[in-house]
Amino acid sequence: MSIAEASPGEPGYWSGQMQAVARRRDQTCFMRIYDHFAPRVRLYLRGLGVRDAVAEELAQEALLRLWQRADSYDADRSTLSTWLFRIARNLHIDRLRRENQWIAVDLEPALDVETETDNPAFSSAESFAAHADLNERIERLSAIQARLIRMSYFEAKSHQQIADELGMPLGTVKSSIRRAFLRLQSGVQEAA
């Protein structure tokens, strides 16, 4: 069956379209990919909190990268949608970094929380209040930041374990945890 006869629901359809783009620079196949995935990429980016106009721009840039790097797509490693959404996410992260909203800090030392064994004057009531306050501040974080903090500090998972479990790049996990930690830390300083 030729590429033209296959339908988008069939296994391998999109990888076949990509092969045509990579091998022959087939514009018709590229337009099929564009028409199908552009709205989905925009929706995905909007779900990450990207404004509509920026989501449109990033979606177009992601599809342009797909065209430019079609020969680097490997159907054995991922589906076309996974590959394309990863490109879009990376473009979004790069944009955040360029806009100076990216804060890089050293996480050492980690959360410095006194416990009852460290200081006998630290009563169980104070411990409960501190724990409740911490939980409240964690709830004010974005959903992903709260999840990363819980996985890292309460479930004692390494950054690599978190990255593997969530399917996120290791650098993204580390920087997201750093930003979440800074937000938690600023809340403690304001309360003091």
Side-chain angles (χ1 to χ4, degrees):
M1 181 184 316
S2 73
I3 292 172
E5 295 169 352
S7 67
E10 293 179 24
Y13 175 78
W14 292 114
S15 60
Q17 298 295 306
M18 275 302 294
Q19 286 176 4
V21 171
R23 291 182 185 151
R24 300 187 314 267
R25 307 303 286 169
D26 189 314
Q27 293 178 0
T28 303
C29 290
F30 174 75
M31 289 312 299
R32 283 188 196 111
I33 292 168
Y34 185 93
D35 291 342
H36 180 80
F37 285 104
R40 289 164 174 81
V41 171
R42 281 192 302 270
L43 187 61
Y44 167 71
L45 290 165
R46 288 178 54 213
L48 294 176
V50 178
R51 294 185 328 268
D52 288 342
V54 175
E56 174 70 31
E57 178 184 327
L58 290 174
Q60 287 182 14
E61 191 172 342
L63 284 149
L64 175 62
R65 292 261 175 104
L66 178 143
W67 172 261
Q68 293 168 335
R69 299 178 183 168
D71 58 339
S72 67
Y73 170 68
D74 183 357
D76 294 332
R77 293 185 63 190
S78 70
T79 63
L80 177 58
S81 60
T82 300
W83 191 64
L84 182 58
F85 283 81
R86 187 173 295 130
I87 291 170
R89 185 194 66 225
N90 291 342
L91 288 169
H92 169 58
I93 290 168
D94 290 345
R95 184 181 184 96
L96 286 175
R97 288 177 178 158
R98 281 192 312 269
E99 291 176 351
N100 296 325
Q101 294 177 0
W102 201 261
I103 301 169
V105 297
D106 187 12
L107 240 184
E108 296 299 326
L111 288 175
D112 186 21
V113 179
E114 282 188 288
T115 62
E116 292 175 329
T117 57
D118 296 329
N119 184 351
F122 197 65
S123 73
S124 60
E126 289 170 329
S127 176
F128 177 79
H131 181 72
D133 181 54
L134 178 61
N135 278 334
E136 183 178 301
R137 281 186 275 114
I138 289 172
E139 289 300 319
R140 285 188 236 140
L141 297 172
S142 70
I144 190 68
Q145 285 181 331
R147 185 170 185 196
L148 291 171
I149 287 290
R150 286 188 179 104
M151 290 175 82
S152 179
Y153 292 102
F154 299 119
E155 296 174 25
K157 293 185 178 181
S158 71
H159 291 163
Q160 186 62 58
Q161 288 172 320
I162 295 168
D164 293 342
E165 188 173 321
L166 298 179
M168 294 173 69
L170 180 60
T172 302
V173 168
K174 288 180 177 182
S175 59
S176 295
I177 289 173
R178 286 182 194 122
R179 285 186 310 218
F181 181 74
L182 282 176
R183 288 191 60 201
L184 289 174
Q185 193 175 38
S186 69
V188 169
Q189 291 168 353
E190 292 169 6

